[in-house]
Amino acid sequence: MAWFEKWLDTLYNTFIVSDRYMTLIDGFSKTLQITFGALIIGVILGTIVAIIKVFCEGNSKLKIFDILCNIYLTVIRGTPVVVQLLIMFFIVFVTADDGTWVATLTFGINSGAYVAETIRSGILAIDKGQTEAGRSLGFSATKTMWLIILPQAIKNILPAIGNEMIALLKETSVAGYVAVVDLTKAGNQIKNTTYDQINPILLVAVVYLAMVLILTKLLNILERRLRKSER
């Protein structure tokens, strides 16, 4: 058991001495903050883009908006999120002192491009008779979309939105490129300080894995409840 005692001593020196575990806790908090903030931005932005693209179909008067949305989708989905993060922090918001909100905005914009296509596919999956029914009741196209089509589409794509949140959680591990001490950066700082090359990184991996497993479990519960509500 000597190896076990030695390992415990290593853990103590790595995480407990100088309260280094607090760095991980703060990093964990930053990771959650960026993830959920970016998800909110992504869902809002993605919903707007999806609705615009649906309304633009077959409407030449709205062609310019369709072009702008396509440019946004092409650029964001065609470039790595790390590059987008560097552009936003070192070029667009070069005077920013705190990279947290820049990272949140960047990940939100990136997520919005993927959420937009998810929501658009959800809208298009709704039977056209729903739209016709709404219009026959005197609703405008906008009200029909907002009150009838969109709620049904969101219900159908909630699991996909949950999967996007899991993807966002893992993508935020690159936030350290813009001076954000997230969970991954915190583990790296402890590694460099203590010269313990194993335990900090393994602990970070375990925390990410635990968060993904918890979110996956919650998504499975949500999917089962949605299936029951449709019966």
Side-chain angles (χ1 to χ4, degrees):
M1 298 295 290
W3 65 270
F4 183 71
E5 294 179 357
K6 183 178 181 181
W7 180 60
L8 289 179
D9 288 338
T10 301
L11 292 181
Y12 180 83
N13 292 328
T14 300
F15 299 112
I16 305 302
V17 172
S18 300
D19 293 333
R20 296 191 187 97
Y21 67 92
M22 289 302 300
T23 304
L24 286 172
I25 294 175
D26 292 340
F28 177 75
S29 175
K30 280 284 178 65
T31 293
L32 292 181
Q33 178 183 336
I34 294 173
T35 299
F36 288 106
L39 183 66
I40 293 172
I41 295 173
V43 170
I44 294 174
L45 183 58
T47 301
I48 294 172
V49 172
I51 292 175
I52 291 175
K53 286 190 67 63
V54 170
F55 280 149
C56 286
E57 289 184 5
N59 192 336
S60 58
K61 294 181 180 180
L62 300 177
K63 187 68 175 178
I64 181 64
F65 296 104
D66 188 45
I67 292 174
L68 291 175
C69 287
N70 286 334
I71 291 174
Y72 161 68
L73 294 175
T74 301
V75 171
I76 296 301
R77 293 194 296 176
T79 55
V81 67
V82 176
V83 175
Q84 297 168 18
L85 194 61
L86 295 175
I87 290 173
M88 291 290 279
F89 189 74
F90 292 106
I91 299 177
V92 179
F93 298 107
V94 66
T95 58
D97 296 325
D98 183 12
T100 303
W101 68 267
V102 177
T104 303
L105 179 62
T106 303
F107 286 117
I109 293 174
N110 180 271
S111 177
Y114 296 93
V115 172
E117 289 302 295
T118 301
I119 294 179
R120 188 172 77 91
S121 64
I123 292 174
L124 295 178
I126 303 300
D127 189 273
K128 290 185 178 180
Q130 298 286 329
T131 302
E132 295 171 357
R135 298 307 299 273
S136 67
L137 292 173
F139 291 159
S140 64
T142 303
K143 278 191 175 181
T144 300
M145 173 63 71
W146 185 256
L147 298 176
I148 299 177
I149 305 301
L150 197 57
Q152 297 181 67
I154 293 296
K155 180 181 178 181
N156 292 335
I157 64 172
L158 271 178
I161 298 298
N163 289 329
E164 175 62 22
M165 180 172 64
I166 292 175
L168 263 176
L169 174 65
K170 292 183 288 186
E171 286 178 356
T172 58
S173 61
V174 301
Y177 278 93
V178 292
V180 176
V181 184
D182 66 319
L183 181 60
T184 303
K185 184 71 172 181
N188 196 49
Q189 285 184 348
I190 293 175
K191 176 178 71 69
N192 293 335
T193 301
T194 62
Y195 300 103
D196 182 350
Q197 304 296 316
I198 299 176
N199 293 304
I201 303 303
L202 286 180
L203 180 59
V204 168
V206 168
V207 173
Y208 273 113
L209 179 60
M211 287 192 289
V212 169
L213 290 176
I214 291 171
L215 291 175
T216 301
K217 181 64 176 179
L218 293 176
L219 281 176
N220 291 336
I221 295 174
L222 175 62
E223 288 182 20
R224 286 198 296 268
R225 290 187 176 180
L226 288 176
R227 283 197 296 266
K228 288 182 180 179
S229 66
E230 291 175 355
R231 295 174 182 173

